[in-house]
Amino acid sequence: MAKPIYISLIFFLLSSIPAVLIAHHGFQIYLAGILVFFGAYITIQAQRCKIVNTAILLQIAYVTASSIHMIYHHVVTGISRPQGLFSNVNFTAQMLELSLPVLVSLAFNKSIKGIPKWLLYGGIAINLLALLITQTRGAWISAVIALGILLFCVKGWRGILAGVTTVGVFACIQYNTIAGRISTMSSASNGQNIERLNGWLVTPKMIMDFPLGMGFNNFKYYYPAYMLPDAKEVLIHPHNLFLGIAADAGILSAISFSCFVGFLAWYIVTNIRYIPDTFYYIFALGCATALLTVVLHGMVDYTLKNQSIMVFCMLEAGFCVGMIDYYKCSALNRK
């Protein structure tokens, strides 16, 4: 049913072999993610959905614990951008944007009631506040877009209104920080913007010089030779998901991974209706919109550079494809 998705992943593995031979660690991130994707898919096909559900919920629990850790250090010790439990603040922001849509989808699920429902509301509040504390602009924007799509799909315009109200309340808590960070997005004098733009400008040249890739995590070793005159920082990656993969693993790997993303998006959008179970349908919507945040944020950052993020992302992708395939095959067999 979803053969193009699997083929593009396998081709990505094969086309990355030259980069693996010269890699300075890093390919294991993608290998682990791909194994998790197929593992989740096979587990769901074996009708053991609860195993995958539990894995996703445990990941969200970890993110929530990390959020509590961040909020504590922000409020008690006064650190403006505290890091998470086991990762820096930017990686934590990416984990938060992956978990929030799933939490919201579960909160809107009518089959969850009582104390679990209130725990979900509390988790959403904690994660939203932690996301604001990260001050990560790309995560803010991608999360807002993804949550808006999810709320509209589940509750229509009433969902959008509820989402805007909730985000507005939390935004008031960190108004000065948000206003300051948003104002820097279009600033030509902002140091981060200048360095990121410099990286985007020279990375295509680097990719053309190394069409088979520079090796995973080797970007920082080659970048100094390509730095523009006004560049001051040696970037460790080009701050773009697809440019990062092309630089690390080569042009063919970037094309195959782009195909995977495109096929995955098309398959979910056109076939998610085959999931008849309300709980799993809304849960799959939450996972799908969470995956969207990775791509959106990936336009301004290398969002799959961290193994935990890669595994969480591919776990959700495997869940979505597995659930759709299972119910779609069942529907076709009944006909």
Side-chain angles (χ1 to χ4, degrees), residues 5 15 31 39 43 48 54 56 84 99 150-151 175 199 223 225 227 232 280 295 297 335:
I5 297 174
S15 60
L31 182 60
T43 302
R48 295 181 177 178
T54 302
I56 294 175
S99 67
L150 172 63
L151 291 170
Y175 175 77
Y223 183 69
M227 289 175 67
K232 299 177 181 178
Y280 283 120
V295 179
H297 194 174
K335 292 181 180 180

Side-chain angles (χ1 to χ4, degrees), residues 46-288:
Q47 300 183 38
R48 295 181 177 178
C49 303
K50 289 184 178 180
I51 295 176
V52 181
N53 298 351
T54 302
I56 294 175
L57 292 175
L58 286 174
Q59 190 74 43
I60 291 173
Y62 155 72
V63 177
T64 304
S66 189
S67 297
I68 294 172
H69 177 268
M70 289 182 66
I71 294 170
Y72 170 81
H73 282 284
H74 179 76
V75 175
V76 176
T77 64
I79 302 174
S80 60
R81 297 185 72 200
Q83 68 176 29
L85 286 174
F86 302 107
S87 60
N88 66 38
V89 65
N90 290 324
F91 287 144
T92 302
Q94 292 169 30
M95 292 291 286
L96 285 164
E97 65 187 4
L98 265 174
S99 67
L100 269 168
V102 182
L103 275 171
V104 172
S105 70
L106 290 171
F108 275 108
N109 225 307
K110 293 181 179 179
S111 59
I112 300 177
K113 301 176 181 179
I115 294 177
K117 176 82 77 174
W118 286 105
L119 288 174
L120 287 171
Y121 288 146
I124 292 170
I126 291 169
N127 286 353
L128 268 176
L129 184 55
L131 183 60
L132 290 174
I133 291 172
T134 65
Q135 300 183 30
T136 305
R137 297 166 297 180
W140 291 350
I141 295 171
S142 57
V144 167
I145 294 173
L147 287 172
I149 292 173
L150 172 63
L151 291 170
F152 182 76
C153 290
V154 177
K155 290 291 185 178
W157 290 110
R158 288 183 302 171
I160 296 290
L161 180 60
V164 169
T165 303
T166 303
V167 171
V169 170
F170 280 89
C172 290
I173 301 174
Q174 293 279 317
Y175 175 77
N176 291 332
T177 299
I178 293 174
R181 292 292 288 169
I182 294 297
S183 66
T184 63
M185 291 181 63
S186 59
S187 174
S189 60
N190 181 266
Q192 287 184 334
N193 294 346
I194 292 172
E195 297 301 331
R196 193 162 295 189
L197 179 60
N198 287 338
W200 292 339
L201 291 173
V202 303
T203 299
K205 170 61 176 172
M206 298 172 69
I207 293 169
M208 295 307 295
D209 288 347
F210 298 91
L212 295 180
M214 291 171 271
F216 294 91
N217 283 346
N218 284 344
F219 183 88
K220 57 181 174 290
Y221 302 121
Y222 292 95
Y223 183 69
Y226 292 85
M227 289 175 67
L228 295 176
D230 63 336
K232 299 177 181 178
E233 178 184 350
V234 177
L235 301 179
I236 61 174
H237 57 72
H239 288 280
N240 179 278
L241 173 59
F242 301 100
L243 285 178
I245 293 174
D248 280 350
I251 296 173
L252 290 178
S253 294
I255 292 173
S256 58
F257 193 82
S258 300
C259 289
F260 164 71
V261 172
F263 290 140
L264 178 66
W266 177 257
Y267 191 72
I268 292 174
V269 169
T270 57
N271 294 286
I272 197 169
R273 68 183 186 278
Y274 281 100
I275 303 177
D277 186 284
T278 303
F279 175 85
Y280 283 120
Y281 173 77
I282 298 177
F283 196 10
L285 272 177
C287 289

Side-chain angles (χ1 to χ4, degrees), residues 3-53:
K3 286 183 179 179
I5 297 174
Y6 317 140
I7 292 172
S8 58
L9 274 182
I10 293 171
F11 190 74
F12 170 77
L13 283 175
L14 295 175
S15 60
S16 298
I17 290 175
V20 173
L21 299 177
I22 57 174
H24 182 69
H25 306 298
F27 181 70
Q28 73 275 8
I29 295 174
Y30 289 93
L31 182 60
I34 292 170
L35 291 175
V36 166
F37 173 84
F38 284 112
Y41 177 85
I42 292 170
T43 302
I44 289 174
Q45 294 304 299
Q47 300 183 38
R48 295 181 177 178
C49 303
K50 289 184 178 180
I51 295 176
V52 181
N53 298 351

